[in-house]
Amino acid sequence: MTDSERGRTFNNIVSGIAAIAGTIGLVVATITSNEVNKLSQQSRTAGLVGDLTDKLTSKQLGRDISLLAIEHMLNTEPGKEKAPRDKLLLARISILLIEGSSGEESIHAQNNNSRQASATQTQFNHGVDQAARVLNRLVKSSGESCNSYYKQQVFNLNLKLGGKNLTPAAAIEADCGEAGALAIEALRKQVEGKDSHGEQAASVSQLAQDAITDPKRVASALAQARVVNQLNAVRLEAAHAESPYTESSLAIVTVHLDDPALAEQLEPLLLQLSAKRWYIVSGVRLVEPSATSCGQYNSVRFFHKGDIELAKKLIAQIDTLKPAATPVRALVEGSGNTRPGILPIDLSTWKYARSVPQGTVELWLASKGNSCQSAVSST
């Protein structure tokens, strides 16, 4: 049997599956080379899956989702409570959209100047945004105890340094269920800047400055930026519901530093910035010396022309706060660097910049200045 015949046979099998779970009426539609047709809206779960996969352009991801649906149907025992299984399916589909192949296919299309580049990029952006929202809703529907963990593991992570005092994911499942624990773990990785294996991923600006086009790395970094943006929006919506006077964040800021010895001393400055409505993501990200990771001077890197004023405002805010700790004050003043202070760097011409949400910036603090280049050349 040829590959095309196998593909047609697979699609025919998928097309014949009528109900994934008896109570939700979820229909798996025929998968074509261009899209996965919107799944049935006959129930709340089916509606969420429809939102996640609407006009999906990734054939491989569509097949992955269909395999999850088949597995879900086969593993749901007759008479077994369906709701937790429905949530688990949604969690796994959402994680696939964030960590799966659609982002890589979008980057491939852009690298090859494909006519579908714009469409795949738009669908990647839409899919990741929807997936982040669905994972958030799954946690919110998992009970009060689970929501307490969620605030600690995700929403309050911006005030922690490198995952300090976090509850292990395995300890959450008893309160959140399998789906809720999966959702929290997936979102926490995104906020911490970790890849699907839990390793520190490259930042967006590193990829932009090094002109890295590896589809997997680029898609991972862009997905993280989008997930964090969605979570910040959800956080603000919840805060606004409690108090209509809640003000929006000025910007989402990831902080990078080339010297672990200074990380903890930065915490008071980050807390002050947070109180001034700068959403600091996951404390400080420590970076290994490279030609662009530490650099020769401090910078705020932005990805849209319209964010130049935000970058300047953040720089002015840091200057106004005047950190009390001498090493931190010297750090932000750029003592020993090739250029003093903190400078804005415009990365808006990067070809993937459209997938970085507006209002996202990166603060890079270079403690080593010229000596950093020596460290790079000696490695």
Side-chain angles (χ1 to χ4, degrees):
M1 183 182 290
T2 66
D3 288 343
S4 61
E5 288 172 335
R6 288 193 186 94
R8 284 195 295 273
T9 300
F10 178 86
N11 288 341
N12 289 336
I13 291 172
V14 172
S15 300
I17 296 175
I20 292 174
T23 59
I24 65 174
L26 183 61
V27 178
V28 179
T30 301
I31 298 173
T32 70
S33 59
N34 294 322
E35 69 174 23
V36 177
N37 291 330
K38 183 177 283 188
L39 301 181
S40 171
Q41 304 277 338
Q42 295 175 16
S43 70
R44 183 170 177 270
T45 300
L48 285 172
V49 175
D51 288 342
L52 287 171
T53 59
D54 184 26
K55 298 180 181 177
L56 190 65
T57 59
S58 169
K59 181 177 181 179
Q60 182 58 53
L61 185 59
R63 289 183 174 180
D64 290 343
I65 289 172
S66 295
L67 287 171
L68 278 179
I70 294 169
E71 179 187 4
H72 171 92
M73 180 184 67
L74 294 176
N75 290 337
T76 301
E77 300 172 8
K80 186 175 181 180
E81 185 184 3
K82 297 294 192 300
R85 298 292 303 166
D86 299 344
K87 288 183 178 181
L88 183 59
L89 175 63
L90 283 168
R92 294 176 70 185
I93 289 175
S94 298
I95 293 168
L96 264 179
L97 284 164
I98 291 172
E99 300 180 354
S101 59
S102 65
E104 294 179 51
E105 291 183 16
S106 170
I107 303 305
H108 268 303
Q110 292 174 74
N111 288 346
N112 297 329
N113 295 315
S114 166
R115 287 180 298 176
Q116 289 189 327
S118 179
T120 57
Q121 186 180 29
T122 298
Q123 289 306 323
F124 167 66
N125 295 350
H126 172 79
V128 170
D129 292 352
Q130 289 285 357
R133 291 272 180 168
V134 169
L135 289 174
N136 172 74
R137 289 178 65 178
L138 284 173
V139 179
K140 289 295 185 69
S141 65
S142 296
E144 190 172 330
S145 295
C146 189
N147 270 283
S148 296
Y149 282 126
Y150 187 39
K151 290 178 181 178
Q152 179 210 48
Q153 301 288 305
V154 179
F155 284 133
N156 290 343
L157 190 58
N158 65 307
L159 299 182
K160 296 183 180 294
L161 297 175
K164 185 171 62 179
N165 300 325
L166 295 179
T167 303
I172 301 173
E173 191 168 329
D175 290 289
C176 295
E178 188 176 359
L182 270 179
I184 287 179
E185 185 176 23
L187 293 174
R188 183 173 66 182
K189 282 180 184 176
Q190 299 298 310
V191 175
E192 287 186 291
K194 303 290 180 64
D195 61 21
S196 58
H197 304 294
E199 301 295 327
Q200 192 70 46
S203 73
V204 176
S205 73
Q206 281 177 287
L207 299 175
Q209 291 204 315
D210 288 341
I212 293 172
T213 58
D214 175 68
K216 190 169 186 177
R217 295 183 69 190
V218 174
S220 176
L222 293 175
Q224 287 176 6
R226 299 201 70 82
V227 170
V228 169
N229 181 67
Q230 287 298 314
L231 290 177
N232 186 46
V234 168
R235 180 183 68 87
L236 288 169
E237 287 167 9
H240 192 268
E242 294 180 4
S243 171
Y245 301 104
T246 300
E247 295 183 291
S248 299
S249 301
L250 294 171
I252 294 170
V253 185
T254 53
V255 182
H256 300 74
L257 176 67
D258 59 1
D259 186 354
L262 291 174
E264 193 161 345
Q265 296 182 63
L266 268 178
E267 184 170 10
L269 174 61
L270 300 187
L271 291 171
Q272 286 180 297
L273 288 172
S274 182
K276 299 290 185 181
R277 296 167 46 215
W278 301 96
Y279 185 70
I280 310 299
V281 183
S282 188
V284 176
R285 297 185 184 182
L286 298 171
V287 291
E288 295 294 328
S290 74
T292 55
S293 66
C294 48
Q296 297 182 22
Y297 55 87
N298 300 325
S299 63
V300 172
R301 306 172 184 183
F302 61 97
F303 306 92
H304 297 273
K305 289 287 186 185
D307 286 341
I308 177 68
E309 295 305 319
L310 277 178
K312 291 179 178 178
K313 189 169 186 175
L314 176 59
I315 293 168
Q317 185 84 79
I318 293 172
D319 183 58
T320 301
L321 291 174
K322 301 291 183 186
T326 301
V328 176
R329 187 165 61 252
L331 174 67
V332 298
E333 289 174 354
S335 302
N337 290 348
T338 55
R339 301 173 73 175
I342 306 173
L343 283 79
I345 294 181
D346 183 353
L347 297 175
S348 62
T349 59
W350 187 45
K351 65 179 176 179
Y352 312 117
R354 190 165 71 90
S355 285
V356 182
Q358 283 196 275
T360 297
V361 300
E362 295 182 7
L363 171 63
W364 285 73
L365 298 173
S367 68
K368 298 176 182 177
N370 289 325
S371 64
C372 178
Q373 299 307 309
S374 301
V376 172
S377 60
S378 65
T379 57

